[in-house]
Structure formats: C-alpha cells, structure tokens
Amino acid sequence: MNSQLLAVALTFLTTILLAIPFGKYIAKIYGGQKTLLDPIFTPIEKLIFRFSGINASKQMNWKQHLKAMLTINFLWFFLGMFLLMNQGWLPFNPDGNPSMSPDLAFNTAISFLINCNLQHYSGETGMSYFIQIFFVTFLQFVSAATGLALAAMIFKSLSPKKQEDKDAENENKIGYLRGLGNFYNYFLKSCTRILLPLSVVVAAILLFNGTPMNTEGKDQFTSLEGDTVNVSRGPAAAMIAIKHIGTNGGGYFGANSAHPLENPNFLTNTVEIIAQMIIPLAMIFALGYFINRKKLSWMIFSVMTIGFLLLTIPTILTEIGGNPAISRMGINQSAGAMEGKEVRFGTPASAYWSIATTVISTGSVNAMHDSTMPLSGMMQMLAMMTNAFYGGCGVGILNFYIYIIIAVFISGLMVGRTPEFMGKKVEAREVKIAMIVALFHPFLILVGTALASYGIMNIKDIAWLNNPGFHGFSEMLYEYTSSAANNGSGFEGLGDNTPWWNISTGIVLIMGRFIPIIGPLAIAGLLANKKEIPESAGTLKTDTSTFGLMIFAVIFLITALSFFPALTLGPIAEYFTLYK
Amino acid sequence: MKTNLLPAVKLTVLALIILCVIYPATIWGIAQFVPNKGKGETVLKNGKVVGYKRIGQKFTQDKYFNSRPSAVAYNAAGSAGSNKGPSNPDYLIEVQARIDTFLVHNPTVNKADIPAELVTASGSGLDPNLSPDGAKIQIARIAKIRNLSVDDLNKLVDDHTEKPFLGPQVVNVLEINLAVEKLRAFGPRASSFRATGFRASSLKQ
C-alpha cells in the first residue's frame, strides 16, 4: 500500500514537472513564436487557411471571437445529430449497432460538443466504429481546441496594450473594440500543435500495452470453462488518447478506463492520468509566460493545488479505509474499498484518479464512483461544484477568471479602493456578469436535482435509481453536478437513458458550457478596452499569497453556502448511517 | 453568422480529414507493430484461442482459481460495475452471500483472511486479475481437488505474480489456470520435481 501511495505522489509531481515546460511551449504557440514543429505544421496550416478563406492574421475583438466560436459549434451540433441518428446505415458498423433515438442523440451530440462526454449509452452496443471516429474523436479534438482558443483570447486580453492598439483606438474612438488575436488561428494551432502530437504519443503507449486499434467487429471464443464469449474491440487507442489529452473523458467502452482494454495496466493508468492533467496545468504556466507575469501563475497554481489536495487526501484516506459495513461482516479491508475497483490499479490510484477527473473536467473513470464511500463521493461532487481547481482544457482558466474578478471586487471593498485587475478598473458591469456566472452553476444543479427528486417522490412508475435512500439522492445530485460542470462522469447506477434525463441534462449541459464561456469573454473584452492605470503604491497586488487566500475564501464561501444543504441530504447523511 | 459560416464549413471538412482520417490511420499504422496487430492479445491452448490476455473470464469451478464477482458475468460484449452504493442493504446481503459461498467451497479458510476483492465486483466486470493473496487463499481447495502439493501451487502463484513498478502486484487468472492444467498433466510427482526441486535449486544459486 505504501508503494502505491508513493506512486500517486510521484505521478502528481511528474505531471507538474512536465506541465511547466509544456506551458512555455503553449505560450510560444499562441504568441506566434518559433517552435520545434514549425517545419511540419506551418505549411499545412497555411494551406488549410487558404482553402478555408481565413485570414489568420486578422485581429478579432471579443464579439467576433464569440460569433466565430458559436457559428462553428452550431455547425458541429447539427453534424453530430445527423451522424448519431443515422449510424445504423452508415459504414464501419461491424456489430450492427442501431441509430440513436432523437432524445439520446440530442443529449449525446451536445455532451460531446461541449467537452463534457456525459454518456447515456454504452460504447459497445451504442456506437459504430464510424461514429467513434467521425463523431466522438472529432468532437473530442475540436471541443478541447475551442476551450483552448478562448483561453488564448483571455491571455491576449491580459497582455499590455501595444502601440498599434493605442493608435487604432485614437483613430476611431467610438465603439472601437481591441483586437485580441484570431479565433481560427488559435483554434487550428491548438489542434495541430498541442492536441495532436500529445495524442499520438499517448496512443502509441496504449497500443504497446494492449489497447486495440482494429476494424474487425466482435470476436468470439470458447472459454476454459466452456462458455461462449464475445469480445468487443475496435479503433479504441486513437480515441482514448484524445479523450484524456482533451479532458473529454467519454469512454470507448461502457466501463470507461476501468475496462481492461481501455486501460490495460498500472503503467497506462499512470500515463492516462498524467495525460488528462497536463494541459490544464500547463495552461496556468502558459498564462505566466504569455503575459510575462510568472508570479501570477504561481499564485493561481498554489490556490488550485491547495484546493486539489484538500479534496484528494481525504478521498484517498477514506477509500484505503474500506467499507465499514463489509468490515463488520469480518472481511479484512486492508486492500481498501474494492467494490467497483480493479485489482491492477488498487485503491490509492483509483481514489486519486476520481478527484483528478472531477477537478479537471475529464469525467473518465477507472473505478465506479457510485460504489465509492460517501465522503469520497462528496469530495468528487465538491470538485465539480467548485469547478475552479485546474479545470478543463482552456475553460479551467475561464472559470477561475470569474473568481479572480469577484475576489478583486471584494478585496477592493475591504480596503476601500477602486478594484483593479492587471491595471484595469473592475466596475459594476464586470462584477455583475461574474456574479451571474458564479451563481448560475449552483442554480442549474440545485433546480435540476429538486425537479428530479419531485418526480421520484410523486410519480409512481419512475425507477431511475439503483440504490435506495440517501445514496439514491446522491445519484441524482451527482448527475446534475456533472452536467453543469461539463464533467461527464456519473454515479452510473442511475438509469439515465430516459427522455427526462436526456433532455433535462442536455439543457443543463448547454447552459453549463456557454454561460461560463460568454461571461469571462465579455469581462475580458470589456476590461481589454479600458484605459490602463499605471501601477502605484495604492494598487491592489493580485499576485500575492494574501490575494490567493482571498480567492480561496471566495471559492469556499460560494460553494459551501450553495451546496452544503444538498450535500447534507446525500453523502453526509449516508456517512452517518454507514459509520455507526 | 454569414461571414463565419462558409469558413466554418470548410475548416470543419479539413479538420475531419486530419483528425478522423490521417490521425486514426497513423495510429492504426503503429498498431501493425504491436502483438497481434492491435486486435487484442489472445491466449492460445493447443493452438486454439481460449481467451484474451487482458479480458477476465468467468471461473467458478472449484478446480480453477476463481475470478472476482462480476456485474456482467464476464460477458465481454459489454462492460459495467455493479454501481451499488456502500450502504445499500440489498448489496450487503449479496456480499454476505458471497462470503458464505466462499467458505462452503473453501472450508479450511479463516474468514478474516478472505481478501476484499473476492467478495466485491470489479469496475469493468472484466477484471482479468487477482491479487497474490486472492490466488493463494484458493490453493488449499485446488490442491485437494487436483491432487497437487500446496508448495507447488504456492510456487506457481509466485511465478505468475506480475510486479509493476510501484503498482499493486497482480496474478492473471486465465494464465495461471492454464498453467495449473499443465501441472496436472505432469502428475503430482513430476510437477513437484519440476516446480520445487528444479526451480527452487536454480533460484538458490
């Protein structure tokens, strides 16, 4: 057990050590500087832009970014719906899986479009190989690249105005909005230079450890005991790589990364967990390199890491402790709580994964969260409820940005000064947007759970839940939390392929993605156009540990006040029934 | 919207070519260099496929090392965990039943020594492994049925224990069961010579 704990600690350290240089690389890419892969990708990118009629050096303001992003996302949504509802007759369907029902297709199309990957189907029976590649893999790349491109725009908005910005501003004062880079340029480079190279590396490691990448359908054999067994396979390695690199998390197989072909051994488990954390961590450092304020990066990193450890450590300890109910039966729990876990990963690595996957928005699992202990379940939910520690590909920075704005505002009030961030005044409009975004998250989760609970209590024929009592409530709470946080993991016992869950979580998914994107974009756009105030002795310093503490307090207060009552009804109540 | 739509369509088409044709084709190309060309590693017995190395199999007969309980009965056409909550009363009754069944089949075993994995279902329902403890606790039963020595079987488990760097030690259930059948083919004496006599001495040197 000790060596497994050491493995977890080393995994985390390795991730950080890889993320720092990778962050520098990302900053260079968005800054248009020379990098190693230029000879390969520059000509390809030029060709793509020429064919698409895009001028990649044209500067776009924040509204143009938003329009370009929404248009292309709209297009992908219709493409996705079409593919899912017609997979039955489309090619590469060796297992003969049927087309999806409209409500399931709606939920699935949205869920992959927005980088959530909530899955109300099971990969083996619900998707053809064609869909796994042209729908799933495609959206896993482009949805991650969308988040990264928008984060790049935020980076740009935080960098000081250049002389040409000031000149342009003076020329046409009224209604001028500052150019903040080009969306298509950021988007394509995120795909080709960040996501693709990493995915190839991860996919190759998976292949050599036993993950399949084939086009033949199910195989059949007779087992040693004489049973006839079918084995699902398919083009899995390519998809599983980007599933983690892009913090998507949608499994190729139903059991996600608990499946022995999706995650064959302890080494691949380590690689997959590093793969899903590397970009969110690297983005924090990329910000520091991009705007040349490394201290700010370290402040953000520290706040996030403290939050992450506060969630991770109790979870690992709880899971190692095992299930007290089984312990009372006289069974030794020295291996920890093994229900829903795989022997080859063990409890510490599974517990670590369960928090990593929920703080960042991956949502892939290597153990079943529904079967974890009540406190672990609560930590997993809290990770998604705060939704600000590391976060998904690009959007993690966007979420955290909201908390920075609120913390700047509150600190400003406390010391009696006009709040400023990066030399720009933060005023009523920005704070209103930030508050709406911050409070919309608990609103979506709590209203959704309340409606579903009402349904359970008052409509007789409903049988969604796999577990009775407090744990059943947790299943519903988890589903909406996961949807609003765009996470995609689940307490999978919930019978969620019904019109109610498909449509209601579908709506929560859209709002949970686009409101936290539009809000920070608008704030960043508004701030970018304000006059720069030179730094003085009266400026509130935002890269200090005091300010870091302030941000942490804001996150804690918003989360605790919003969610504590709901958590009491679910995991906390279950805890007291279990640990008598 | 209009100014963005045409570039968006064209960019999408090109992205589809790169991400959904060139990228998977590259990975498929790499797959041609791995064991069984990326179709999944198979396990053979007398030249016939009897299973996949990574996919767990149902073993409930007493003469084999039994695999863990599974929510999908090791039907690898799908995969799932039980998703039972830790306090679910029905689930706890099920666990109690598994303990009782195990004790019936392994009467010499002390209940406190049963590793948790043998009475809990895995996350995938296809767990191919047991811990070394999970295998060793079944040795007394298998030795009796197959008329093998306990030492031989202990040795067999040790030989089949994989020790990944810092990760948990595991035993592949399918592979150890194939090996157990071979032990039997040698007969008790031959196998005892092979396993304890020959190998132990070579280890000592």
Side-chain angles (χ1 to χ4, degrees):
Chain A
M1 192 63 92
N2 281 335
S3 75
Q4 293 179 42
L5 288 171
L6 182 66
V8 166
L10 284 180
T11 307
F12 185 49
L13 280 179
T14 312
T15 315
I16 296 170
L17 289 178
L18 290 173
I20 295 172
F22 198 67
K24 197 172 183 180
Y25 170 76
I26 292 178
K28 275 188 183 168
I29 285 169
Y30 293 142
Q33 297 174 37
K34 272 190 183 162
T35 53
L36 201 66
L37 295 173
D38 281 353
I40 309 172
F41 287 121
T42 310
I44 299 175
E45 285 159 4
K46 271 192 183 153
L47 205 70
I48 292 176
F49 284 134
R50 195 185 305 156
F51 179 83
S52 312
I54 292 166
N55 175 4
S57 56
K58 182 182 165 256
Q59 296 288 307
M60 299 167 114
N61 63 44
W62 74 270
K63 286 185 182 168
Q64 289 166 328
H65 270 273
L66 193 63
K67 276 182 199 154
M69 184 274 288
L70 289 175
T71 308
I72 203 163
N73 269 264
F74 222 62
L75 184 71
W76 294 334
F77 171 70
F78 286 114
L79 177 69
M81 280 290 278
F82 172 79
L83 290 177
L84 293 175
M85 289 178 67
N86 293 287
Q87 66 166 333
W89 61 266
L90 284 166
F92 283 114
N93 188 4
D95 298 336
N97 292 333
S99 300
M100 283 190 180
S101 66
D103 59 310
L104 181 59
F106 169 76
N107 187 285
T108 310
I110 287 172
S111 139
F112 280 87
L113 175 72
I114 65 161
N115 200 258
C116 172
N117 296 201
L118 194 73
Q119 294 169 294
H120 290 179
Y121 65 92
S122 220
E124 295 95 332
T125 50
M127 269 191 185
S128 68
Y129 294 177
F130 185 78
I131 296 296
Q132 293 275 19
I133 293 291
F134 279 83
F135 171 80
V136 173
T137 308
F138 176 69
L139 285 180
Q140 288 185 331
F141 270 107
V142 296
S143 65
T146 301
L148 289 171
L150 296 173
M153 192 215 92
I154 300 268
F155 287 5
K156 188 87 176 172
S157 80
L158 293 174
S159 57
K161 284 183 191 176
K162 287 190 184 138
Q163 192 55 44
E164 64 241 40
D165 292 323
K166 288 178 188 164
D167 291 344
E169 224 170 337
N170 289 334
E171 273 169 33
N172 37 30
K173 264 205 151 111
I174 303 158
Y176 175 77
L177 291 168
R178 185 179 155 197
L180 297 168
N182 185 292
F183 173 78
Y184 299 112
N185 185 35
Y186 289 151
F187 165 77
L188 186 64
K189 285 188 173 166
S190 305
C191 280
T192 52
R193 310 220 173 181
I194 300 172
L195 301 171
L196 254 182
L198 283 181
S199 299
V200 171
V201 173
V202 172
I205 296 174
L206 289 172
L207 280 176
F208 280 95
N209 284 282
T211 301
M213 182 73 196
N214 67 320
T215 48
E216 297 87 352
K218 284 191 180 77
D219 192 15
Q220 200 178 59
F221 64 84
T222 309
S223 75
L224 271 192
E225 286 200 346
D227 303 320
T228 304
V229 182
N230 291 303
V231 178
S232 291
R233 300 176 295 174
M239 181 267 201
I240 296 163
I242 182 60
K243 150 193 159 189
H244 287 113
I245 291 293
T247 69
N248 295 282
Y252 184 91
F253 299 102
N256 208 305
S257 278
H259 195 289
L261 291 180
E262 189 143 355
N263 193 359
N265 57 32
F266 196 72
L267 173 73
T268 58
N269 190 60
T270 311
V271 169
E272 286 182 17
I273 200 146
I274 292 176
Q276 59 182 297
M277 288 183 84
I278 185 163
I279 290 183
L281 278 165
M283 284 304 276
I284 307 168
F285 298 108
L287 171 67
Y289 286 115
F290 192 91
I291 61 173
N292 206 9
R293 284 199 179 216
K294 284 171 205 120
K295 218 180 148 196
L296 181 73
S297 275
W298 282 106
M299 185 277 289
I300 297 176
F301 172 76
S302 311
V303 173
M304 290 180 167
T305 303
I306 290 170
F308 175 66
L309 293 178
L310 283 176
L311 295 166
T312 305
I313 294 168
T315 308
I316 294 181
L317 292 178
T318 312
E319 291 303 304
I320 287 178
N323 185 343
I326 297 182
S327 184
R328 280 193 286 273
M329 295 175 192
I331 295 294
N332 184 344
Q333 292 289 292
S334 63
M338 285 305 288
E339 182 70 35
K341 293 197 180 62
E342 303 281 305
V343 172
R344 64 191 180 282
F345 308 141
T347 19
S350 301
Y352 175 68
W353 179 306
S354 80
I355 297 301
T357 193
T358 43
V359 290
I360 50 179
S361 73
T362 317
S364 65
V365 296
N366 74 346
M368 295 300 129
H369 290 188
D370 212 346
S371 298
T372 50
M373 295 301 109
L375 281 189
S376 314
M378 182 168 91
M379 293 299 162
Q380 291 151 10
M381 282 193 252
L382 271 173
M384 296 183 284
M385 286 162 173
T386 52
N387 210 17
F389 304 136
Y390 304 141
C393 250
V395 289
I397 291 280
L398 267 61
N399 284 330
F400 199 78
Y401 187 71
I402 291 292
Y403 288 116
I404 294 182
I405 297 297
I406 297 173
V408 161
F409 174 69
I410 293 176
S411 316
L413 287 183
M414 285 164 76
V415 293
R417 285 205 194 92
T418 324
E420 289 165 21
F421 180 56
M422 307 296 284
K424 306 288 172 61
K425 265 188 196 168
V426 175
E427 290 169 299
R429 196 145 60 133
E430 289 87 51
V431 177
K432 272 185 204 158
I433 299 173
M435 280 316 293
I436 290 172
V437 174
L439 293 179
F440 212 77
H441 185 56
F443 176 80
L444 286 177
I445 296 171
L446 296 175
V447 169
T449 313
L451 288 176
S453 308
Y454 180 85
I456 286 277
M457 297 307 292
N458 292 285
I459 304 169
K460 267 191 188 150
D461 303 332
I462 291 180
W464 295 327
L465 304 180
N466 191 39
N467 290 288
F470 305 123
H471 196 88
F473 177 79
S474 299
E475 284 183 336
M476 295 186 289
L477 181 63
Y478 194 106
E479 188 73 5
Y480 282 108
T481 309
S482 171
S483 306
N486 285 186
N487 185 274
S489 63
F491 272 14
E492 286 300 338
L494 185 75
D496 48 19
N497 185 11
T498 62
W500 164 262
W501 286 103
N502 284 336
I503 294 166
S504 75
T505 55
I507 294 166
V508 171
L509 289 169
I510 301 179
M511 296 207 269
R513 167 82 163 182
F514 290 107
I515 288 170
I517 279 182
I518 296 171
L521 238 57
I523 296 173
L526 291 170
L527 289 184
N529 288 297
K530 289 190 180 179
K531 248 198 197 150
E532 272 170 25
I533 310 160
E535 208 167 302
S536 70
T539 308
L540 174 77
K541 288 221 164 46
T542 46
D543 51 9
T544 59
S545 49
T546 319
F547 186 68
L549 206 68
M550 196 65 209
I551 299 180
F552 195 86
V554 167
I555 295 172
F556 179 79
L557 276 180
I558 291 180
T559 320
L561 294 178
S562 320
F563 294 110
F564 186 70
L567 290 173
T568 312
L569 291 175
I572 295 179
E574 192 190 3
Y575 172 84
F576 284 111
T577 55
L578 195 58
Y579 292 78
K580 283 176 245 188
Chain B
M1 191 87 173
K2 251 187 189 168
T3 51
N4 286 312
L5 194 58
L6 201 60
V9 172
K10 287 180 179 173
L11 189 59
T12 301
V13 171
L14 291 172
L16 278 166
I17 294 173
I18 293 181
L19 304 172
C20 304
V21 179
I22 299 176
Y23 166 67
T26 309
I27 305 303
W28 185 84
I30 300 173
Q32 303 316 302
F33 296 97
V34 309
N36 204 19
K37 299 187 172 178
K39 295 172 191 169
E41 285 170 74
T42 48
V43 175
L44 303 176
K45 181 189 169 188
N46 304 331
K48 250 186 88 183
V49 175
V50 287
Y52 277 70
K53 190 181 169 201
R54 307 283 174 193
I55 301 282
Q57 245 174 54
K58 193 175 79 172
F59 284 106
T60 47
Q61 295 172 11
D62 281 348
K63 61 178 180 178
Y64 289 121
F65 286 96
N66 288 179
S67 39
R68 296 180 64 186
S70 159
V72 294
Y74 287 97
N75 175 4
S79 59
S82 73
N83 287 310
K84 298 288 186 199
S87 63
N88 186 333
D90 294 340
Y91 162 67
L92 294 173
I93 291 172
E94 204 178 326
V95 173
Q96 185 64 58
R98 285 177 192 150
I99 298 170
D100 297 341
T101 313
F102 189 85
L103 288 173
V104 170
H105 288 262
N106 301 272
T108 56
V109 164
N110 187 352
K111 186 161 83 171
D113 296 333
I114 303 176
E117 89 236 18
L118 283 174
V119 294
T120 51
S122 63
S124 60
L126 306 172
D127 196 336
N129 298 124
L130 286 174
S131 67
D133 288 346
K136 280 187 176 163
I137 201 155
Q138 306 186 38
I139 282 180
R141 181 194 76 224
I142 294 166
K144 197 175 163 198
I145 290 184
R146 288 187 180 265
N147 196 18
L148 293 168
S149 89
V150 170
D151 287 348
D152 284 4
L153 285 167
N154 265 320
K155 190 85 191 31
L156 191 74
V157 172
D158 289 340
D159 288 347
H160 277 87
T161 301
E162 300 165 32
K163 295 171 183 158
F165 177 64
L166 296 180
Q169 302 190 350
V170 295
V171 175
N172 186 305
V173 185
L174 175 59
E175 286 177 346
I176 199 170
N177 278 330
L178 279 171
V180 147
E181 286 191 332
K182 276 186 193 158
L183 269 190
R184 192 192 184 189
F186 279 99
R189 267 196 195 160
S191 73
S192 111
F193 167 74
R194 206 176 69 100
T196 46
F198 173 65
R199 278 203 197 159
S201 61
S202 67
L203 274 176
K204 268 173 206 161
Q205 291 163 0

